[in-house]
Amino acid sequence: MVKKIICFGEMLWDVFPKESIAGGAPMNVALHLQHLGLDVKMISKVGDDKLGRKLLSFTEKYGLSQDLIQVDKEFPTGSVLVNDDDKENIKYEIVKPVAWDHIQWDQQIDRESRIADAVIFGSLAAREEESRETLFKILDTPALKILDINLRPPYYTADLLDKLLTKADILKINEDELTLLANFYDLPNQMDAALEKLSELFSFELVCITLGSKGAAIYQDGEIINHPGYPVEVKDTVGSGDAFLAGFIYKYLSKESPEKTLDFACALGALVATFNGGTPQYQEEDIRSIMVDM
């Protein structure tokens, strides 16, 4: 049976010095899941403007359903100003107010949320009240809830993070985000112990942490599983974490072993880093070739 997946949150344009690229973590994840052949829908909102129409056209080319993408008459399509002078430490300025801050609960979202097998969400799309209220209604459904925490200061508070973490079944974070959560929740300094305590605090099924060039790890049922990652020639890291998450979800929902799930996710994340932009075209054989080359 094909799993039904919902990705909730921002879809926008990453504005680089020389070009603009369609992006937003939830949209990137949705496009990768679509590319991998899963049944995925995106819940978001674009402006009734040229940039919004271009985003809809862009996602349509991937075959992504637009049933749950709303159009806002008042607020513009989202954008992020990107400084990529340091390819390993890209900086972002997230523009506001924008359309995806105002995702409205409606009958379509209600219906699709109730039949979804999994919901993927982050903290950024909960920065404003209207989208935040819609998100928490979705999170009251029986679906598996996967939190890609995606912390972007100053758009979160300790209270908001606590509510989001409480709703999640699976947590995906990076090293910097673990450090921040360690400060909020007085976690141990050692990574394995910190992941263990975090899992206990929120009763996660699993925590997945990305470690940049050092790969990634999974904490599940008292066990830590590490992967060293795949060394590649990096063009940019925009979207590689989103690709990793999509690969992880693809294999996790297929009930692959944690080792195989992590291996595939690391390979897909590495593959995307060899391209410019977060949602390049590729075949599953390209992912396999990364794994074989190791």
Side-chain angles (χ1 to χ4, degrees), residues 222-233:
E223 182 181 4
I224 190 87
I225 298 163
N226 292 285
H227 193 290
Y230 288 102
V232 293
E233 185 175 338

Side-chain angles (χ1 to χ4, degrees), residues 142-259:
L144 178 75
K145 289 129 188 126
I146 302 164
L147 172 57
D148 178 12
I149 202 163
N150 198 23
L151 298 179
R152 295 287 184 257
Y155 300 121
Y156 58 85
T157 63
D159 180 62
L160 175 61
L161 293 185
D162 200 62
K163 290 176 180 176
L164 293 171
L165 289 162
T166 299
K167 290 290 186 181
D169 300 306
I170 293 175
L171 173 65
K172 183 254 184 182
I173 55 175
N174 61 33
E175 286 180 288
D176 291 339
E177 290 161 349
L178 180 59
T179 298
L180 189 142
L181 293 179
N183 292 330
F184 281 162
Y185 296 107
D186 192 27
L187 305 178
N189 291 328
Q190 203 269 339
M191 186 186 79
D192 293 12
L195 296 178
E196 180 179 18
K197 184 172 181 182
L198 197 58
S199 293
E200 290 173 353
L201 283 172
F202 294 101
S203 302
F204 295 131
E205 288 183 17
L206 178 152
V207 179
C208 183
I209 181 167
T210 54
L211 305 168
S213 61
K214 297 175 290 183
I218 289 173
Y219 179 86
Q220 185 178 32
D221 298 329
E223 182 181 4
I224 190 87
I225 298 163
N226 292 285
H227 193 290
Y230 288 102
V232 293
E233 185 175 338
V234 174
K235 286 194 175 176
D236 76 48
T237 58
V238 172
S240 59
D242 305 328
F244 171 94
L245 179 58
F248 176 86
I249 293 165
Y250 175 59
K251 289 299 183 181
Y252 184 84
L253 294 179
S254 300
K255 300 194 181 301
E256 288 277 14
S257 70
E259 292 82 1

Side-chain angles (χ1 to χ4, degrees), residues 63-77:
L64 183 67
S65 169
Q66 300 186 7
D67 294 353
L68 305 181
I69 301 174
Q70 302 170 355
V71 178
D72 200 297
K73 299 291 186 182
E74 180 180 357
F75 296 100
T77 299

Side-chain angles (χ1 to χ4, degrees), residues 46-157:
V46 299
D48 185 16
D49 50 30
K50 182 178 179 180
L51 290 178
R53 288 187 286 275
K54 284 180 67 178
L55 262 184
L56 292 176
S57 176
F58 175 82
T59 57
E60 187 176 24
K61 289 176 182 176
Y62 282 79
L64 183 67
S65 169
Q66 300 186 7
D67 294 353
L68 305 181
I69 301 174
Q70 302 170 355
V71 178
D72 200 297
K73 299 291 186 182
E74 180 180 357
F75 296 100
T77 299
S79 60
V80 174
L81 307 181
V82 183
N83 181 339
D84 63 347
D85 291 340
D86 179 357
K87 301 295 185 186
E88 296 293 335
N89 186 28
I90 294 173
K91 293 181 171 59
Y92 307 87
E93 180 187 340
I94 305 167
V95 176
K96 65 176 295 191
V98 291
W100 55 259
D101 284 322
H102 300 279
I103 303 168
Q104 297 172 310
W105 181 258
D106 61 22
Q107 288 185 341
Q108 275 189 297
I109 292 177
D110 181 40
R111 181 175 61 252
E112 294 295 335
S113 299
R114 292 179 186 278
I115 62 174
D117 295 296
V119 175
I120 301 148
F121 64 105
S123 63
L124 184 56
R127 67 179 182 175
E128 294 292 339
E129 182 178 4
E130 193 162 17
S131 288
R132 183 167 62 247
E133 288 183 353
T134 298
L135 173 59
F136 277 103
K137 287 179 181 178
I138 294 169
L139 297 180
D140 278 338
T141 60
L144 178 75
K145 289 129 188 126
I146 302 164
L147 172 57
D148 178 12
I149 202 163
N150 198 23
L151 298 179
R152 295 287 184 257
Y155 300 121
Y156 58 85
T157 63

Side-chain angles (χ1 to χ4, degrees), residues 246-281:
F248 176 86
I249 293 165
Y250 175 59
K251 289 299 183 181
Y252 184 84
L253 294 179
S254 300
K255 300 194 181 301
E256 288 277 14
S257 70
E259 292 82 1
K260 287 184 178 179
T261 298
L262 196 54
D263 189 36
F264 185 87
C266 284
L268 181 51
L271 175 65
V272 168
T274 67
F275 292 90
N276 288 316
T279 52
Q281 296 287 341

